[in-house]
Amino acid sequence: MLRTARIFFEQRGVLEVETPILSAAAVSDPQIESLATQIEGLPGHRYLCPSPEYAMKRLLAAGSGDIYQICKVFRDAEFGRWHNPEFTMIEWYRLGFDDAALMDEVEALLGQLLAPVRRLATAERLSFSAALQRHAGVDAFASSDEDLLDAARRHDIHCDGELDRDAKLDLLMGFVVGPRLGRERPCFVCDYPASQAALARLKPGQPQVAARFELYLDGLELANGFHELAQPEEQRARFMRDLALRGARGQSQPPLDENLLAALEQGLPDCAGVALGFDRVVAIAIAADRLADAMAFSSE
């Protein structure tokens, strides 16, 4: 399957690159915790990258053109049936693509990876709002916070913690909606609320949504992609909002990647990028019922 992926990108003229696993900066995303270590002789912490995104964007800003990477990534506090703190990611960036064009390519790669064992039907594309309406019975933009919690309780999901609105939406997507997606054919969930844009640009119109998508198959999230944000001021503002939210939740305050922001200042070409969880695709290919069965060496 790795060979199939490399042939796929070679045929499209996408360059394979390698970037560092250790970084002096960490992601600010409140949903992701980076693993930290200290190295004798170097000040501060170094972080095991949860994604090669920041370094790959520095390559894009330097003129690399279309690039991809197959690498190990690391995330703290992620261990369970479908999570492992160390896993394999395929991440790639395509110049001149938007989120819709990249969804086409993600679907093509998934079809080739699974071709020996399974023929996939054409993928469904469903907005975030439509997905929640169909499977949880709520409106992502108009329903009240209490309506969101009521929907979770109707599905026997109870949370005693204090959740902000995005956390309530994540609760429904993670435990109610996501497991129901992609059961008959792959499903792209797209047009996420602007508050969940992460590193994606925003689309015009109301309610404002992000040029972001996730891919689901057999109830598993496999990929997360963006039409990439290229404005350094907006990216810094989002990082600062992330840190404020992390502070409110009592999470750590990692240093920002100033090298990434400097690269954005120099100019990121118009592009779309996506990260695909390779081990989950392997699990689907071999009909495994947990991630560990798709990995030669899990962290168990």
Side-chain angles (χ1 to χ4, degrees):
M1 290 175 73
L2 287 170
R3 182 170 60 249
T4 296
R6 286 190 163 94
I7 292 171
F8 179 90
F9 291 116
E10 182 179 2
Q11 290 175 340
R12 287 161 174 75
V14 183
L15 177 69
E16 183 172 11
V17 298
E18 181 179 87
T19 57
I21 289 175
L22 281 174
S23 173
V27 297
S28 60
D29 189 337
Q31 307 304 321
I32 298 175
E33 290 295 341
S34 299
L35 283 162
T37 187
Q38 288 184 297
I39 299 174
E40 185 176 353
L42 292 177
H45 286 87
R46 291 298 183 269
Y47 298 88
L48 290 168
C49 289
S51 161
E53 178 172 7
Y54 292 1
M56 292 181 76
K57 284 184 174 177
R58 290 168 63 185
L59 292 178
L60 290 164
S64 66
D66 296 327
I67 53 176
Y68 81 97
Q69 184 168 185
I70 300 173
C71 61
K72 294 293 186 182
V73 294
F74 305 84
R75 298 187 181 184
D76 199 3
E78 292 196 13
F79 185 78
R81 181 183 175 193
W82 294 113
H83 293 84
N84 197 68
E86 176 185 355
F87 61 99
T88 301
M89 181 178 286
I90 303 179
E91 184 152 336
W92 74 98
Y93 293 85
R94 298 288 259 138
L95 274 60
F97 278 41
D98 61 9
D99 48 319
L102 190 56
M103 280 188 269
D104 289 339
E105 189 162 78
V106 172
E107 183 175 359
L109 174 60
L110 184 66
Q112 291 197 20
L113 291 175
L114 295 178
V117 296
R118 182 170 173 181
R119 181 178 177 86
L120 297 178
T122 301
E124 177 182 23
R125 297 191 182 187
L126 198 62
S127 72
F128 182 92
S129 182
L132 260 73
Q133 187 67 59
R134 178 186 297 180
H135 296 289
V138 292
D139 188 303
F141 300 100
S143 292
S144 69
D145 283 17
E146 188 57 36
D147 289 337
L148 300 182
L149 288 177
D150 284 342
R153 287 190 285 264
R154 287 197 302 272
H155 291 86
D156 294 324
I157 296 167
H158 303 272
C159 180
D160 295 329
E162 291 294 326
L163 303 179
D164 56 37
R165 184 174 181 84
D166 275 324
K168 294 181 179 75
L169 292 172
D170 287 340
L171 185 72
L172 289 173
M173 180 58 72
F175 292 97
V176 178
V177 180
R180 291 168 169 79
L181 297 174
R183 291 296 178 180
E184 297 180 356
R185 55 177 173 153
C187 178
F188 287 101
V189 177
C190 52
D191 295 344
Y192 276 66
S195 59
Q196 298 191 15
L199 282 80
R201 63 183 64 193
L202 300 181
K203 296 183 176 182
Q206 294 296 327
Q208 198 164 43
V209 297
R212 173 188 174 189
F213 66 85
E214 291 187 336
L215 170 65
Y216 287 82
L217 182 62
D218 295 348
L220 279 179
E221 178 207 337
L222 299 181
N224 186 23
F226 309 137
H227 190 183
E228 301 294 344
L229 178 68
Q231 290 75 34
E233 299 85 2
E234 172 61 19
Q235 189 61 77
R236 182 180 291 276
R238 290 190 192 180
F239 284 162
M240 298 308 295
R241 287 196 292 270
D242 283 348
L243 291 179
L245 180 55
R246 292 180 68 91
R249 293 180 178 180
Q251 296 172 273
S252 63
Q253 299 283 300
L256 297 183
D257 193 329
E258 293 293 344
N259 288 325
L260 168 65
L261 293 168
L264 295 182
E265 290 281 359
Q266 294 299 313
L268 183 74
D270 181 29
C271 64
V274 62
L276 175 71
F278 178 74
D279 308 281
R280 290 189 178 185
V281 181
V282 175
I284 287 174
I286 64 173
D289 63 0
R290 60 177 192 150
L291 196 66
D293 291 339
M295 306 175 77
F297 303 96
S298 75
S299 296
E300 290 185 348

